[in-house]
Amino acid sequence: MSALIWLIGILVFVFVSVLLLEIVWEAPKGRLAEVGSGEAVSGYRKALAALDKPVSLYMPKGILRKTAANLYWAQIAGKWTGWNEVQFVSLQVATAAGAFVAGTIVFGGNLLLSGAAGLIGWQYPTLSLNGTARRTRRTFQGQLPEFIQLVAARVAAGNSLENALIKTAAAPGLAGQWMRRVVQRSQGRDLLEQLGLEAAESQMPELIGMATQLRFIKRGAAQQQLMGQLAVSIAADYITQADQRAEKLGAELVTPMVLFYFLPFLGAIMFVIGYPIVTGLF
C-alpha cells in the first residue's frame, strides 16, 4: 500500500512539474516568449536579476561558455531572444530550487527524491535550449557548403570577396540569414573582422576555420582558386561529419534496443516458460 502511495505521489509531482514548466518556462511559447521580448512580464527578469551576480561569480566558466554558445544558435532561430548565459543559468538555479522545494513538500522531506526533483528542474530549461540549438546548428552546417559555393562562384565571376559575401547574404536559408546578421553588425568595421567575431561567438569550429581562411584568401593573389578549394574543403568536411553521425547513431541505438525491446522480450519468454515450472515445484 505504501508503495502505491509513493507511486501516486511521484506521478502527481511529475505531472504538475511538467504542466508548470510547459506553461511558464518553455521557449518560445506562452509567457516565456514575452519575457524574452521584454514585454508585459519583465518582473520575471527582475526577480532572476538577484541571482545574476552570484551566478556570474561562482558558476563554472565552462557551463557559462556552453550556455552562451547554445543561446547564440537558439537566438539565430528566434528562440530565447534577449537572454544571455548568466540570466539563463539563473533561470536554471531558480527552477531547480523551486522543484526541490516542491519535491520536499510532495515527498515528505525525502532528500533523495527531492534532489531528483531539483535535478529535473535544473535540466528542463537546458533540454529546451539544447534541442533548439542542436537543430539550428545542424541546419546551418547543412547549408554552409552550398553558401560557400555561391560565394566562390561570385568571386570567380569577378566580384571582390566582400561584395561576394554581401550579395550572397541575400540567399534564402539559415546560412544567408547568418551572413545578413554579420553584414548588419559590420557597419563601420571590416566585414571579415566582424565575420571572425561572429564565428568566435558561435563557438562552431567550422565557422572559426572558415573565417580564418577567408582572411588569408583576402590577402592572397589567387582568390578564385583559393575560394574553390575552400568550398570543396567545407563540403568534404560536412560529408565526413554526416557519415560519422550516421555511424554513431547506430551504436547509440544498441542500448535502447536492448533495454526496451530485447530484455522485456526475454523476460516475457522466461515468465511464460518458467511460471508453470515454478508452480509445479511448489
Side-chain angles (χ1 to χ4, degrees):
M1 186 65 182
S2 61
L4 181 61
I5 295 175
W6 277 107
L7 178 61
I8 294 174
I10 292 172
L11 293 176
V12 170
F13 172 73
V14 171
F15 174 75
V16 173
S17 299
V18 171
L19 183 63
L20 291 176
L21 290 169
E22 288 287 344
I23 294 174
V24 179
W25 297 121
E26 184 182 8
K29 301 176 182 178
R31 301 171 73 180
L32 185 57
E34 298 176 1
V35 173
S37 63
E39 299 175 0
V41 288
S42 58
Y44 282 114
R45 305 290 286 276
K46 292 179 180 178
L48 291 173
L51 298 173
D52 289 350
K53 186 174 182 180
V55 166
S56 63
L57 290 175
Y58 302 113
M59 188 60 60
K61 301 303 179 184
I63 293 178
L64 293 177
R65 282 195 300 271
K66 183 178 179 180
T67 302
N70 288 332
L71 279 172
Y72 180 88
W73 289 106
Q75 289 170 359
I76 292 290
K79 312 293 180 64
W80 296 94
T81 305
W83 289 75
N84 60 41
E85 63 273 18
V86 173
Q87 292 171 339
F88 185 86
V89 176
S90 297
L91 169 64
Q92 289 183 275
V93 172
T95 54
F100 180 83
V101 172
T104 302
I105 296 173
V106 171
F107 300 123
N110 188 304
L111 292 180
L112 181 61
L113 295 176
S114 299
L119 181 61
I120 293 173
W122 170 268
Q123 286 293 336
Y124 188 85
T126 307
L127 293 175
S128 175
L129 173 65
N130 291 356
T132 302
R134 182 173 58 254
R135 289 190 298 270
T136 306
R137 281 194 191 95
R138 289 187 178 178
T139 301
F140 182 87
Q141 289 170 335
Q143 297 176 2
L144 185 60
E146 182 180 359
F147 181 85
I148 294 300
Q149 289 174 359
L150 292 174
V151 175
R154 291 186 182 276
V155 172
N159 292 275
S160 67
L161 181 56
E162 289 86 348
N163 287 337
L165 288 170
I166 293 172
K167 291 179 180 179
T168 312
L174 200 60
Q177 176 187 337
W178 183 83
M179 185 55 66
R180 289 193 294 273
R181 172 190 174 109
V182 174
V183 172
Q184 291 171 358
R185 293 186 170 187
S186 67
Q187 303 301 325
R189 168 182 308 181
D190 181 73
L191 178 60
L192 293 182
E193 179 185 353
Q194 180 61 36
L195 193 148
L197 294 175
E198 289 288 330
E201 187 177 354
S202 73
Q203 300 184 39
M204 180 181 286
E206 296 88 345
L207 273 183
I208 296 173
M210 184 192 75
T212 302
Q213 293 182 63
L214 286 176
R215 286 197 294 269
F216 284 116
I217 290 173
K218 181 182 178 181
R219 300 170 187 168
Q223 290 190 1
Q224 298 179 6
Q225 180 181 358
L226 293 174
M227 280 300 303
Q229 293 175 357
L230 176 61
V232 172
S233 173
I234 291 178
D237 289 343
Y238 174 72
I239 293 173
T240 301
Q241 291 177 5
D243 291 341
Q244 290 175 350
R245 284 199 300 268
E247 293 175 359
K248 186 178 179 182
L249 179 62
E252 290 175 345
L253 289 176
V254 172
T255 301
M257 289 177 62
V258 170
L259 291 177
F260 298 106
Y261 176 75
F262 178 73
L263 290 181
F265 179 73
L266 181 62
I269 292 178
M270 294 298 293
F271 177 79
V272 172
I273 296 175
Y275 181 76
I277 297 174
V278 174
T279 54
L281 292 175
F282 297 100

